[in-house]
Amino acid sequence: MGRVIHFVQNLSLDITAGAVVMSFFVAHLLGVALTVSMVIGLAIAIWLIYTLDHLKDAMHSQLPVLNPRHAFHRKYKKELIIGVLVAFGLGLWNLFRLPQRTILFGSVLVILVALYFAYLHFSKHSLRKEYLAALIYTAGVSLAPLSLAEQVNRHEMLVILQIFLLALVNLMVIPLYEFSLDLSDGQFSIVTQRGKRAVRQSAIVLLVLVLLIAFWMMANWPAIFYEELVLLAMALVLVILLAFQRLFGRYQLYRVLADGIFFLPLILWL
């Protein structure tokens, strides 16, 4: 079972599936229904972004790597490149089945992704890549539902802000656990650049902001009370991961939980 979990994680299939769940969450919030082509387009886009990013990291150095995900992408480089080409072709095929307004909104994501990889290429240490990555993730899960919405209210935009903050903290928590691996592999992360203490403090501040927004929203918009409870639960998992790093550092449990928070909105459909 452990091998299956690691295989799914190494291929970023868990992140892709979690992004689809989050997009349905945003669609639920906005009262719109995603089409099959939108779900396929999102899944392909997220998988391509993460796979290309991991391939880039894996090829960063010719020295042996300790990070299991980087080692996987280096070992199966050729197979993954073929997979990327196939996925890209499917994405182009699916593009013609998307509504024109969704394609227009999706162009924003394309621009953000282009800026992200350009930044990684030209920036020596990529100090702010986590912020860009969180923005891309949030745009990815939100743009299709937003393209279907006739109007977007303030409280709905605040929920999307919370998703961005949670995605950003997620991208801070995981490097905290992988600090030694990143140093050994010569990889740059927000933690190797800013230090553990500074990143942990930033993550705590962001989580407090998520909680404050959630409590304020629950008090002022009872209609989305349960949606905010889900966001609170997501934040709580990240708090626990920050508080008990030694416990969850075993067997990559931190990654299962950190990426698993994006499946919590499924509770709303039980």
Side-chain angles (χ1 to χ4, degrees):
M1 186 64 183
R3 290 184 178 180
V4 174
I5 293 175
H6 290 153
F7 181 76
V8 169
Q9 289 178 331
N10 288 334
L11 278 177
S12 300
L13 297 179
D14 54 336
I15 296 173
T16 301
V20 171
V21 171
M22 291 304 300
S23 192
F24 273 110
F25 175 73
V26 176
H28 166 78
L29 177 75
L30 297 175
V32 298
L34 298 178
T35 65
V36 174
S37 59
M38 291 177 181
V39 175
I40 292 173
L42 170 63
I44 290 174
I46 292 295
W47 187 81
L48 282 174
I49 293 167
Y50 274 84
T51 300
L52 288 172
D53 194 32
H54 294 321
L55 281 171
K56 180 196 69 64
D57 287 341
M59 298 300 114
H60 175 75
S61 171
Q62 296 304 314
L63 297 174
V65 292
L66 298 179
N67 189 304
R69 183 167 293 188
H70 295 160
F72 178 88
H73 281 74
R74 179 177 291 185
K75 181 178 180 179
Y76 298 104
K77 175 185 174 181
K78 293 181 179 179
E79 292 84 351
L80 288 167
I81 290 176
I82 293 173
V84 164
L85 293 174
V86 171
F88 185 76
L90 288 173
L92 287 178
W93 172 81
N94 186 70
L95 183 66
F96 295 100
R97 285 152 179 79
L98 292 172
Q100 187 174 1
R101 183 176 167 86
T102 302
I103 295 175
L104 180 63
F105 276 58
S107 63
V108 175
L109 179 60
V110 173
I111 293 171
L112 287 174
V113 172
L115 289 174
Y116 174 74
F117 282 106
Y119 176 73
L120 293 183
H121 179 74
F122 292 108
S123 176
K124 185 176 181 180
H125 299 308
S126 305
L127 290 176
R128 295 177 178 82
K129 72 173 186 177
E130 284 81 6
Y131 296 91
L132 276 172
L135 182 60
I136 289 171
Y137 182 90
T138 307
V141 303
S142 303
L143 287 175
L146 287 172
S147 72
L148 297 173
E150 294 183 2
Q151 63 177 12
V152 181
N153 299 318
R154 179 176 60 176
H155 67 278
E156 294 164 342
M157 290 306 299
L158 283 174
V159 170
I160 293 175
L161 172 61
Q162 287 174 291
I163 293 173
F164 167 75
L165 294 174
L166 289 169
L168 180 54
V169 174
N170 170 275
L171 293 172
M172 292 179 172
V173 168
I174 291 176
L176 279 169
Y177 280 87
E178 298 181 350
F179 176 71
S180 297
L181 290 176
D182 287 335
L183 284 181
S184 299
D185 293 348
Q187 297 289 337
F188 295 109
S189 74
I190 191 170
V191 182
T192 61
Q193 296 301 305
R194 292 181 53 194
K196 289 184 177 181
R197 182 176 180 181
V199 172
R200 185 175 283 108
Q201 289 175 343
S202 296
I204 292 171
V205 170
L206 294 175
L207 286 172
V208 169
L209 181 56
V210 171
L211 296 176
L212 290 175
I213 294 174
F215 289 130
W216 183 73
M217 296 273 278
M218 291 165 74
N220 290 278
W221 282 281
I224 59 170
F225 182 87
Y226 293 107
E227 287 79 0
E228 286 298 328
L229 275 183
V230 169
L231 295 172
L232 280 175
M234 294 170 69
L236 179 60
V237 172
L238 293 174
V239 169
I240 292 172
L241 287 173
L242 285 171
F244 301 100
Q245 188 169 336
R246 184 174 299 179
L247 173 64
F248 294 107
R250 302 173 182 176
Y251 312 113
Q252 289 195 315
L253 289 175
Y254 65 91
R255 187 171 283 279
V256 174
L257 292 174
D259 292 333
I261 65 172
F262 299 107
F263 290 92
L264 287 178
L266 289 173
I267 296 171
L268 295 171
W269 288 279
L270 294 179

Short mmCIF file of all heavy atoms in Angstrom, two decimals, residues 3-26:
data_model
loop_
_atom_site.label_atom_id
_atom_site.label_comp_id
_atom_site.label_asym_id
_atom_site.label_seq_id
_atom_site.Cartn_x
_atom_site.Cartn_y
_atom_site.Cartn_z
N ARG A 3 3.78 1.63 -1.31
CA ARG A 3 4.35 1.85 -2.64
C ARG A 3 3.35 2.55 -3.55
O ARG A 3 3.72 3.40 -4.35
CB ARG A 3 4.77 0.52 -3.26
CG ARG A 3 5.99 -0.11 -2.60
CD ARG A 3 6.40 -1.37 -3.33
NE ARG A 3 7.60 -1.98 -2.73
CZ ARG A 3 8.17 -3.09 -3.19
NH1 ARG A 3 7.64 -3.72 -4.24
NH2 ARG A 3 9.25 -3.57 -2.60
N VAL A 4 2.09 2.15 -3.43
CA VAL A 4 1.04 2.78 -4.25
C VAL A 4 0.91 4.25 -3.90
O VAL A 4 0.83 5.11 -4.79
CB VAL A 4 -0.31 2.06 -4.04
CG1 VAL A 4 -1.42 2.80 -4.78
CG2 VAL A 4 -0.23 0.62 -4.52
N ILE A 5 0.92 4.56 -2.60
CA ILE A 5 0.80 5.95 -2.15
C ILE A 5 1.97 6.77 -2.67
O ILE A 5 1.80 7.88 -3.18
CB ILE A 5 0.72 6.01 -0.62
CG1 ILE A 5 -0.59 5.39 -0.12
CG2 ILE A 5 0.83 7.46 -0.13
CD1 ILE A 5 -0.70 5.30 1.38
N HIS A 6 3.18 6.23 -2.56
CA HIS A 6 4.37 6.96 -3.03
C HIS A 6 4.34 7.15 -4.54
O HIS A 6 4.76 8.19 -5.05
CB HIS A 6 5.64 6.22 -2.60
CG HIS A 6 5.88 6.28 -1.13
ND1 HIS A 6 6.59 5.31 -0.45
CD2 HIS A 6 5.51 7.19 -0.19
CE1 HIS A 6 6.65 5.61 0.83
NE2 HIS A 6 5.99 6.76 1.01
N PHE A 7 3.85 6.14 -5.26
CA PHE A 7 3.75 6.24 -6.72
C PHE A 7 2.78 7.35 -7.10
O PHE A 7 3.08 8.17 -7.98
CB PHE A 7 3.28 4.90 -7.30
CG PHE A 7 3.15 4.90 -8.80
CD1 PHE A 7 4.28 4.82 -9.60
CD2 PHE A 7 1.91 4.98 -9.41
CE1 PHE A 7 4.18 4.82 -10.99
CE2 PHE A 7 1.80 4.98 -10.79
CZ PHE A 7 2.93 4.90 -11.59
N VAL A 8 1.65 7.39 -6.43
CA VAL A 8 0.64 8.44 -6.68
C VAL A 8 1.22 9.81 -6.36
O VAL A 8 1.04 10.78 -7.11
CB VAL A 8 -0.64 8.17 -5.86
CG1 VAL A 8 -1.56 9.38 -5.89
CG2 VAL A 8 -1.36 6.94 -6.39
N GLN A 9 1.95 9.91 -5.25
CA GLN A 9 2.55 11.18 -4.85
C GLN A 9 3.63 11.61 -5.84
O GLN A 9 3.70 12.78 -6.21
CB GLN A 9 3.15 11.06 -3.44
CG GLN A 9 2.12 10.96 -2.33
CD GLN A 9 2.77 10.80 -0.98
OE1 GLN A 9 3.87 10.24 -0.85
NE2 GLN A 9 2.11 11.28 0.05
N ASN A 10 4.48 10.68 -6.24
CA ASN A 10 5.56 11.01 -7.15
C ASN A 10 5.04 11.50 -8.50
O ASN A 10 5.66 12.36 -9.14
CB ASN A 10 6.47 9.80 -7.36
CG ASN A 10 7.33 9.49 -6.15
OD1 ASN A 10 7.64 10.38 -5.36
ND2 ASN A 10 7.72 8.24 -5.98
N LEU A 11 3.91 10.99 -8.92
CA LEU A 11 3.31 11.41 -10.19
C LEU A 11 2.41 12.65 -10.04
O LEU A 11 1.82 13.10 -11.01
CB LEU A 11 2.49 10.27 -10.80
CG LEU A 11 3.26 9.21 -11.59
CD1 LEU A 11 2.32 8.11 -12.06
CD2 LEU A 11 3.99 9.84 -12.78
N SER A 12 2.30 13.16 -8.80
CA SER A 12 1.46 14.33 -8.51
C SER A 12 -0.01 14.08 -8.81
O SER A 12 -0.78 15.02 -9.04
CB SER A 12 1.95 15.55 -9.30
OG SER A 12 3.28 15.87 -8.99
N LEU A 13 -0.42 12.82 -8.78
CA LEU A 13 -1.82 12.49 -9.04
C LEU A 13 -2.71 12.93 -7.88
O LEU A 13 -3.87 13.29 -8.08
CB LEU A 13 -1.97 10.98 -9.29
CG LEU A 13 -1.24 10.44 -10.53
CD1 LEU A 13 -1.45 8.94 -10.64
CD2 LEU A 13 -1.73 11.14 -11.79
N ASP A 14 -2.15 12.87 -6.66
CA ASP A 14 -2.92 13.32 -5.50
C ASP A 14 -3.17 14.82 -5.55
O ASP A 14 -4.27 15.29 -5.25
CB ASP A 14 -2.20 12.94 -4.20
CG ASP A 14 -0.76 13.44 -4.16
OD1 ASP A 14 -0.17 13.68 -5.24
OD2 ASP A 14 -0.23 13.62 -3.04
N ILE A 15 -2.15 15.57 -5.96
CA ILE A 15 -2.30 17.03 -6.08
C ILE A 15 -3.31 17.37 -7.17
O ILE A 15 -4.14 18.27 -7.01
CB ILE A 15 -0.94 17.67 -6.38
CG1 ILE A 15 0.01 17.45 -5.21
CG2 ILE A 15 -1.09 19.17 -6.65
CD1 ILE A 15 1.44 17.90 -5.46
N THR A 16 -3.23 16.64 -8.29
CA THR A 16 -4.16 16.87 -9.40
C THR A 16 -5.59 16.60 -8.97
O THR A 16 -6.49 17.42 -9.23
CB THR A 16 -3.79 15.96 -10.59
OG1 THR A 16 -2.45 16.24 -11.00
CG2 THR A 16 -4.72 16.19 -11.76
N ALA A 17 -5.81 15.48 -8.30
CA ALA A 17 -7.16 15.14 -7.84
C ALA A 17 -7.65 16.15 -6.80
O ALA A 17 -8.82 16.56 -6.82
CB ALA A 17 -7.17 13.73 -7.25
N GLY A 18 -6.75 16.57 -5.91
CA GLY A 18 -7.12 17.58 -4.91
C GLY A 18 -7.51 18.89 -5.55
O GLY A 18 -8.44 19.58 -5.08
N ALA A 19 -6.83 19.27 -6.63
CA ALA A 19 -7.16 20.51 -7.33
C ALA A 19 -8.55 20.43 -7.95
O ALA A 19 -9.31 21.41 -7.94
CB ALA A 19 -6.12 20.80 -8.41
N VAL A 20 -8.90 19.26 -8.48
CA VAL A 20 -10.24 19.07 -9.05
C VAL A 20 -11.30 19.21 -7.97
O VAL A 20 -12.33 19.87 -8.16
CB VAL A 20 -10.34 17.69 -9.74
CG1 VAL A 20 -11.79 17.39 -10.13
CG2 VAL A 20 -9.44 17.64 -10.98
N VAL A 21 -11.03 18.62 -6.80
CA VAL A 21 -11.96 18.74 -5.67
C VAL A 21 -12.13 20.21 -5.28
O VAL A 21 -13.26 20.68 -5.05
CB VAL A 21 -11.47 17.91 -4.46
CG1 VAL A 21 -12.32 18.22 -3.22
CG2 VAL A 21 -11.52 16.43 -4.78
N MET A 22 -11.03 20.95 -5.20
CA MET A 22 -11.10 22.35 -4.83
C MET A 22 -11.86 23.18 -5.87
O MET A 22 -12.57 24.13 -5.54
CB MET A 22 -9.69 22.93 -4.64
CG MET A 22 -8.96 22.39 -3.43
SD MET A 22 -9.85 22.61 -1.87
CE MET A 22 -10.01 24.40 -1.81
N SER A 23 -11.74 22.80 -7.15
CA SER A 23 -12.47 23.52 -8.19
C SER A 23 -13.97 23.28 -8.04
O SER A 23 -14.79 24.20 -8.21
CB SER A 23 -11.98 23.07 -9.57
OG SER A 23 -12.47 23.94 -10.58
N PHE A 24 -14.35 22.04 -7.71
CA PHE A 24 -15.76 21.75 -7.44
C PHE A 24 -16.24 22.52 -6.21
O PHE A 24 -17.40 22.95 -6.14
CB PHE A 24 -15.96 20.25 -7.24
CG PHE A 24 -16.18 19.49 -8.51
CD1 PHE A 24 -15.22 18.62 -9.01
CD2 PHE A 24 -17.36 19.62 -9.22
CE1 PHE A 24 -15.42 17.92 -10.18
CE2 PHE A 24 -17.58 18.93 -10.41
CZ PHE A 24 -16.61 18.08 -10.89
N PHE A 25 -15.34 22.70 -5.23
CA PHE A 25 -15.67 23.47 -4.04
C PHE A 25 -15.98 24.93 -4.40
O PHE A 25 -16.97 25.49 -3.93
CB PHE A 25 -14.51 23.40 -3.05
CG PHE A 25 -14.67 24.24 -1.82
CD1 PHE A 25 -15.57 23.88 -0.83
CD2 PHE A 25 -13.93 25.40 -1.65
CE1 PHE A 25 -15.73 24.66 0.31
CE2 PHE A 25 -14.07 26.18 -0.51
CZ PHE A 25 -14.98 25.81 0.47
N VAL A 26 -15.15 25.52 -5.23
CA VAL A 26 -15.38 26.90 -5.67
C VAL A 26 -16.65 26.98 -6.50
O VAL A 26 -17.45 27.92 -6.35
CB VAL A 26 -14.17 27.42 -6.49
CG1 VAL A 26 -14.45 28.83 -7.01
CG2 VAL A 26 -12.91 27.44 -5.63
#
